[in-house]
Amino acid sequence: MIIALFPNTSKTESKTLAIGVADFLTHLGITVVAEEEKAEELGLRPLSSVDAKEIGLIISMGGDGTILRLAHNYAELDAPILGINLGHLGFMADVPLSDIYPSLQDLISGAYKVHERVMIQGHSPRGDYCFAVNDIVVHRGKNPTLVDIAIHIDGVYLNTFEADGIIIATPNGSTAYSLAAGGPIISPDLDALVLTPISPHTISNRPIVLTAHQEIQIQYLSDYDPVEVRADGLVHRELHTGDVFRITRHPKTFKLVSLARRDYFSTLRTKLGWAGKLR
């Protein structure tokens, strides 16, 4: 088996932990590779030395942001990802430092499932393209006032939102920016999307859950500066007055490893600080 290791070396303990993880896996007969610029300092083979299709698993060491960056920078990799959390609020990177090696043992013994989660993609009339694991956000950007954004679903007019912007989130991304803007938490295995307005002027404007196969057309109406389109907070595009940005389900899925020793709902309780007790 070949495992690709992606440590976030901006985090103090990451390099030492990555070397320990690589040694643990190597001693089990597993080939471990890393990004070109990190392979030498970690004593590993570079990613380019193997066929991307031969990589069976990816281990991300950082937080959810580390996972998103590798998903965008290495879109050609299609292996499932296990996230080791070196950050704070990690929903995808849910393996804590205290549980690294037992979790790796479960991984190697096959005590895990791979969840395939919805991804989305967007196209502008100018040919700009982006994809997202979590969300695509249309935001007023440097405009000092609310902007008007019209939404059509499969060509049928829904509403014009006067707001700071609109978030189109996947179930995976429903616990990210959309949640902070008042959107619902969606079970990550659902084939759904959530449209969440950002600070809408009318309080009756509420998040809407849609099926993932529907096309969402977002038209920027205001005669102001261009608004920003961001995918997972990483990829930046612009919409000009009158432009229509189309969002559809991506043909690929986002593959995330779920260990038998952990579950999504316990992660929710822990990360959100829920204090309810079983009675």
Side-chain angles (χ1 to χ4, degrees):
M1 177 188 289
I2 300 176
I3 292 179
L5 186 62
F6 286 86
N8 181 353
T9 52
S10 67
K11 299 195 178 288
T12 307
E13 70 273 44
S14 183
K15 180 179 177 181
T16 301
L17 286 169
I19 291 172
V21 167
D23 287 345
F24 178 85
L25 296 172
T26 301
H27 287 151
L28 293 175
I30 295 167
T31 299
V32 184
V33 298
E35 299 168 275
E36 281 19 53
E37 63 271 22
K38 297 175 184 176
E40 185 174 352
E41 63 177 314
L42 296 175
L44 300 174
R45 291 174 58 182
L47 193 62
S48 61
S49 68
V50 299
D51 185 341
K53 295 179 181 178
E54 295 179 356
I55 295 173
L57 290 165
I58 296 169
I59 297 177
S60 170
M61 302 182 65
D64 285 358
T66 305
I67 292 177
L68 292 175
R69 280 189 290 275
L70 80 85
H72 281 265
N73 293 337
Y74 296 92
E76 71 278 9
L77 298 180
D78 197 38
I81 300 171
L82 174 70
I84 295 175
N85 189 11
L86 306 184
H88 300 290
L89 193 65
F91 287 93
M92 292 182 284
D94 66 346
V95 176
L97 284 175
S98 59
D99 204 31
I100 289 180
Y101 291 103
S103 295
L104 290 176
Q105 192 62 60
D106 282 355
L107 186 72
I108 301 310
S109 64
Y112 68 90
K113 294 180 180 179
V114 175
H115 291 273
E116 298 199 24
R117 301 182 175 182
V118 171
M119 291 172 56
I120 51 177
Q121 58 185 355
H123 295 85
S124 80
R126 291 178 171 77
D128 290 330
Y129 167 80
C130 64
F131 72 88
V133 172
N134 269 0
D135 51 43
I136 293 177
V137 178
V138 178
H139 191 270
R140 64 183 173 89
K142 61 183 179 181
N143 289 299
T145 184
L146 303 179
V147 294
D148 290 328
I149 299 172
I151 304 292
H152 288 73
I153 309 297
D154 287 336
V156 177
Y157 177 67
L158 171 66
N159 189 34
T160 297
F161 293 94
E162 185 180 6
D164 275 350
I166 293 289
I167 304 166
I168 308 299
T170 65
N172 193 76
S174 70
T175 51
Y177 191 7
S178 177
L179 180 64
I185 297 172
I186 301 177
S187 182
D189 293 326
L190 289 179
D191 285 341
L193 302 176
V194 58
L195 185 158
T196 306
I198 306 168
S199 301
H201 189 264
T202 304
I203 62 173
S204 63
N205 288 336
R206 289 290 181 262
I208 301 171
V209 178
L210 305 165
T211 58
H213 69 264
Q214 291 176 293
E215 179 180 278
I216 302 169
Q217 298 102 30
I218 302 173
Q219 186 174 29
Y220 175 44
L221 299 178
S222 298
D223 191 19
Y224 303 143
D225 289 325
V227 291
E228 295 181 347
V229 178
R230 290 194 178 270
D232 289 336
L234 299 171
V235 180
H236 176 261
R237 302 286 185 262
E238 284 187 343
L239 282 186
H240 297 260
T241 303
D243 283 353
V244 177
F245 195 76
R246 300 178 183 276
I247 295 177
T248 57
R249 180 176 183 156
H250 197 287
K252 287 179 60 178
T253 56
F254 173 66
K255 299 179 177 65
L256 194 66
V257 171
S258 176
L259 297 173
R261 64 196 296 113
R262 311 196 68 79
D263 68 87
Y264 177 73
F265 297 109
S266 65
T267 298
L268 272 186
R269 289 196 303 274
T270 301
K271 301 299 181 181
L272 297 180
W274 289 348
K277 296 180 180 180
L278 182 65
R279 295 181 185 274

